[in-house]
Amino acid sequence: MAVDRDDVLIRGATAHMVSGIGARAPLGHSEAASGAPRRRAEAAVYGILFSAFMVVVGQLFILAVGRRTDIALAISEPVAATSFSRPDIVDRNGRLLATDLEAPSIFADPGVVLDRDEVVEKLSTVLPDLNASELLRALSDRSRRFVWVRRGVSPGIAQRVHDLGLPGVSFRYELKRAYPGGKMAGHALGYVDVDNRGVAGIEKYIDDKIGVDPVHSAVLSNRPPVRLSLDIGVQHALEDELDDAMRRYHPEGAAGVVLNIKTGEILASSSLPRVDPTWPAQTLNDKRVDRMMGGTYELGSVFKALTLAMALDEGLAKPDTVLDVTKPLEAGRFTVTDMHPSRRPLTVTEVFTHSSNVGAGMLALQAGPEKFRAFLQKAGLLDPLQTEAGPVASPQVPQRWNRVTTITASFGHGIAVAPLQFAAAAATIFNGGKTVHPTFLRKFDAGTADGKPLISAATSHQMAELMRANVIDKDGTGSKADVPGYRVGGKTGTADIASKGGYTSNAVISSFLGAFPTDDPQYLTFVMLFEPKGIADTKGNRTGGTNAAPVTGELIARVAAQLGVAPQLNVVRQ
Amino acid sequence: MRLLNVAAFFFAVASALLLYALNYDTRRLESELQAKERLADRARSDIAVLKAERGTLARPDRIDDLARRLGLGPPKPEQFAYGREVSELNERRGSADGR
């Protein structure tokens, strides 16, 4: 445009020289007349160019500042399957329980595969459990460009497949969940699916409440680790002692929990046989169910701790109140008797230490069905319970509370609850009477402020003394749980197992509810053995006092120091 | 005007050269960045593997077994002592040594 304008100006000048002064005015007038629209046109063109330039500048600015990384991903990964990166799981002291690792996955491109039969045949030599017919069918579909062969294989397997040199078979790295502790705390941790998505346990809780990040390749999570309340030292001790109990008493299964009474933190929870989180199919086996949370059981005499707490708190009896337990208690078509009937009346303390069914039934009847039911409701035993590791099996409670159900529930029959739910209710008894909600997450604001009062602090103290008496009294059923110095208290339980039309005569669930140190209870243990066998050491007995109690004693001797409970040395050195 | 045209021409050529240089510089930096990111990813992956290995090596059941072979075990209550008892013991030892 500038050249044209100059050309016009030069030609104008030439005309001016030729025509002389007289011709000057008309020519100048003509230039002035035609110059204005031209300048407007030029201005418009410059304006358009400037606007276009500003659009380019703006776009560059947006690209520079916005950093739209998804554009690059969309171009480079057109067929990528999405998986999820997950935060690590660590125990209360930061020790690793679960993490993501890169693992090669094998895929095939049917459009590039030359000989489908050869590919399937050769892959089967390295992956013997490969579903050959399904892979052959998938490879036959030439419209597909992506078929998974096997996800999350070991580097060794990947190398062997690579060495086969099959065209159209390639690898991509994906995230795979690894559990360095193996089967440790397998039930609580849960497991993930092939896309690294949480399916059960804490892993599912992470998906639902904490969050995982969808990724197109093996990108590790930047999220902070999820810190659990579990202590793997205590967890190992619990699992080791339960293993030992399995060898000694040959039960069908065993379970146990260690709970911080003040905070509700679960320091260890185990159910044997264990499950390996890397083999989720194991959880489908009924025998490997999480007995702590996944099943409900009639727990037997350990329930008397709740019955007596209610009776003492309601002022229905005092520890030295005498009850006539010499006669059986009639309950409908049943007759309630004691395992070791006493020939004399017993005090309330003795009802506890002798584990008298008749005495517990009498105390519950004094309260009445409504009050007893309301107490159990307030203790959280009649409503469903939810933890971070999943829902706890719903309690099975009597539909109608009458005289019979009140008597049977007083000593832990006719009502079935998950052991963890019972442990939480029992912890309430020793937590100054304030309710305890069990949690698998580390609590940094330790305290009992959020608990609702169930019983008074004085009753809570009385119950701790009763528990201690049951361990140190010569007639107490829990003497084998004592550990010098650690002031262990406890209650035994031996429950008949319900079957069709009644109870089995030759199988029991034996258990021991422990608390220590009883002068100010900090920790609660609950150990259960399912269908233990009588052995020579127990003189053929299968009661909680002969098997679950010594297991608890061994457990507390191992973990008390780890948990920071100092032994009372004057007791040890006497 | 001619001067303006010439200046604009040289400006355009200079801009083109600058853009050309910037373009290659950007590509080089991008390549360097990708290499560094790959390195960081590799390092992150290595750290994850090492963490998992350390977790496996520090398994309590493994440590428990090793410790028991060395004659170690959970502390027994009688192995505990109050701080003042330790002080008294040290004092008695000191006086026995003539210190």
Side-chain angles (χ1 to χ4, degrees):
Chain A
M1 287 304 294
V3 173
D4 290 345
R5 188 167 175 267
D6 285 349
D7 189 36
V8 170
L9 287 174
I10 290 164
R11 274 192 272 116
T14 312
H16 170 68
M17 281 186 285
V18 171
S19 60
I21 301 297
R24 191 173 178 179
L27 184 65
H29 177 74
S30 166
E31 266 188 345
S34 64
R38 200 177 294 150
R39 274 197 297 278
R40 276 199 296 276
E42 285 169 2
V45 170
Y46 280 126
I48 291 166
L49 285 174
F50 183 74
S51 303
F53 180 71
M54 288 313 292
V55 167
V56 171
V57 167
Q59 187 68 12
L60 283 172
F61 182 78
I62 289 166
L63 282 172
V65 174
R67 298 188 67 82
R68 294 273 304 277
T69 50
D70 55 323
I71 294 171
L73 281 174
I75 294 165
S76 62
E77 302 276 347
V79 291
T82 302
S83 68
F84 294 85
S85 71
R86 317 177 59 75
D88 288 349
I89 302 176
V90 297
D91 84 338
R92 64 185 299 105
N93 298 311
R95 288 172 291 189
L96 194 65
L97 286 165
T99 189
D100 278 350
L101 291 178
E102 283 185 15
S105 291
I106 308 164
F107 71 94
D109 182 346
V112 183
V113 169
L114 298 175
D115 186 340
R116 293 189 297 273
D117 295 321
E118 183 200 16
V119 165
V120 173
E121 191 182 328
K122 284 191 171 176
L123 281 174
S124 296
T125 60
V126 180
L127 306 165
D129 54 340
L130 191 72
N131 189 335
S133 57
E134 193 178 307
L135 181 60
L136 202 60
R137 195 164 50 248
L139 292 179
S140 305
D141 184 358
R142 295 271 175 181
S143 64
R144 293 175 70 178
R145 301 300 308 274
F146 190 93
V147 173
W148 282 121
V149 175
R150 178 64 55 87
R151 295 175 76 176
V153 298
S154 69
I157 295 283
Q159 186 61 47
R160 285 174 62 194
V161 172
H162 182 262
D163 291 345
L164 294 174
L166 299 168
V169 175
S170 304
F171 303 87
R172 55 175 292 142
Y173 276 84
E174 288 193 300
L175 294 175
K176 189 172 171 66
R177 203 65 165 161
Y179 301 90
K183 292 180 180 176
M184 178 181 287
H187 282 111
L189 291 175
Y191 55 90
V192 298
D193 65 9
V194 74
D195 290 326
N196 224 24
R197 249 188 308 223
V199 176
I202 297 292
E203 295 285 22
K204 186 164 189 333
Y205 173 80
I206 290 174
D207 279 55
D208 295 343
K209 304 285 181 184
I210 294 173
V212 293
D213 304 300
V215 289
H216 293 263
S217 58
V219 180
L220 294 163
S221 176
N222 286 324
R223 291 174 183 268
V226 177
R227 194 173 282 250
L228 301 187
S229 59
L230 296 176
D231 180 324
I232 62 170
V234 180
Q235 180 74 29
H236 163 65
L238 174 64
E239 293 188 5
D240 200 35
E241 289 303 328
L242 292 179
D243 272 334
D244 202 30
M246 292 286 279
R247 284 189 291 271
R248 243 187 297 167
Y249 306 112
H250 313 291
E252 294 295 312
V257 67
V258 180
L259 194 72
N260 184 325
I261 290 172
K262 305 289 183 192
T263 63
E265 290 173 299
I266 296 164
L267 296 158
S269 173
S270 180
S271 175
L272 270 56
R274 278 173 284 223
V275 293
D276 189 336
T278 49
W279 298 101
Q282 286 183 348
T283 54
L284 301 175
N285 185 337
D286 282 347
K287 286 190 174 176
R288 291 182 187 272
V289 68
D290 182 1
R291 296 168 197 261
M292 260 298 144
M293 289 173 53
T296 58
Y297 308 94
E298 295 183 37
L299 296 173
S301 295
V302 286
F303 244 73
K304 288 171 189 160
L306 298 170
T307 308
L308 264 75
M310 178 206 61
L312 294 174
D313 197 60
E314 292 287 334
L316 303 173
K318 291 179 180 171
D320 56 359
T321 303
V322 177
L323 300 174
D324 183 8
V325 297
T326 53
K327 293 171 191 163
L329 203 58
E330 297 298 328
R333 58 193 173 97
F334 301 105
T335 303
V336 176
T337 57
D338 289 338
M339 188 178 277
H340 305 290
S342 176
R343 292 176 183 171
R344 62 175 176 84
L346 297 178
T347 62
V348 168
T349 301
E350 286 172 325
V351 164
F352 193 73
T353 57
H354 290 217
S355 197
S356 167
N357 296 339
V358 176
M362 290 169 75
L363 290 170
L365 284 177
Q366 277 190 43
E370 271 312 304
K371 198 171 269 185
F372 189 45
R373 193 201 67 79
F375 180 82
L376 296 180
Q377 176 107 47
K378 213 171 160 189
L381 278 174
L382 306 186
D383 298 318
L385 176 70
Q386 180 85 25
T387 71
E388 296 83 4
V392 174
S394 294
Q396 292 171 281
V397 298
Q399 287 183 339
R400 279 187 302 172
W401 285 83
N402 52 30
R403 186 173 189 275
V404 177
T405 52
T406 301
I407 292 172
T408 55
S410 73
F411 53 87
H413 282 79
I415 178 169
V417 298
L420 182 67
Q421 192 162 7
F422 171 75
T428 298
I429 301 293
F430 307 110
N431 183 32
K434 289 185 176 171
T435 52
V436 174
H437 187 87
T439 177
F440 279 95
L441 294 185
R442 171 87 192 262
K443 273 189 179 176
F444 292 96
D445 53 343
T448 56
D450 55 342
K452 293 173 190 162
L454 174 69
I455 57 172
S456 69
T459 309
S460 173
H461 186 67
Q462 278 180 331
M463 284 306 300
E465 285 181 345
L466 279 183
M467 294 275 278
R468 180 67 181 145
N470 193 34
V471 170
I472 56 174
D473 280 6
K474 62 178 174 50
D475 293 331
T477 54
S479 57
K480 290 193 174 174
D482 196 24
V483 184
Y486 289 115
R487 295 92 77 201
V488 179
K491 180 73 193 85
T492 53
T494 309
D496 293 333
I497 295 177
S499 64
K500 281 181 185 171
Y503 290 90
T504 54
S505 57
N506 56 353
V508 296
I509 297 173
S510 61
S511 58
F512 190 83
L513 174 73
F516 67 98
T518 43
D519 43 342
D520 179 20
Q522 301 288 323
Y523 297 101
L524 178 134
T525 62
F526 188 39
V527 169
M528 303 175 73
L529 301 177
F530 295 81
E531 301 182 46
K533 310 294 180 292
I535 60 169
D537 279 359
T538 63
K539 296 173 184 164
N541 285 318
R542 300 166 303 178
T543 56
T546 59
N547 47 41
V551 172
T552 301
E554 297 285 338
L555 172 67
I556 293 174
R558 280 178 76 163
V559 303
Q562 282 186 56
L563 295 171
V565 177
Q568 213 170 53
L569 298 177
N570 55 349
V571 175
V572 176
R573 287 165 191 176
Q574 270 172 9
Chain B
M1 279 299 145
R2 191 168 296 157
L3 187 63
L4 189 65
N5 288 338
V6 170
F9 174 75
F10 279 109
F11 180 73
V13 170
S15 298
L17 287 173
L18 186 67
L19 275 175
Y20 184 78
L22 275 174
N23 188 10
Y24 271 80
D25 211 29
T26 306
R27 283 168 189 243
R28 183 180 57 77
L29 285 172
E30 201 172 45
S31 156
E32 278 180 23
L33 180 69
Q34 280 175 355
K36 293 258 190 306
E37 278 177 353
R38 274 199 297 274
L39 210 61
D41 284 346
R42 195 71 256 155
R44 271 195 286 269
S45 173
D46 288 347
I47 289 168
V49 172
L50 289 170
K51 268 195 321 191
E53 280 183 8
R54 188 179 65 175
T56 307
L57 290 172
R59 282 164 60 167
D61 56 336
R62 181 175 170 275
I63 302 292
D64 191 350
D65 186 42
L66 293 173
R68 284 180 199 277
R69 281 188 209 176
L70 293 170
L72 302 170
K76 295 185 176 115
E78 56 269 25
Q79 290 175 299
F80 284 79
Y82 291 116
R84 61 179 160 75
E85 290 179 324
V86 176
S87 306
E88 285 168 10
L89 192 66
N90 283 337
E91 277 171 23
R92 281 205 295 276
R93 277 186 186 162
S95 57
D97 292 346
R99 277 180 279 164

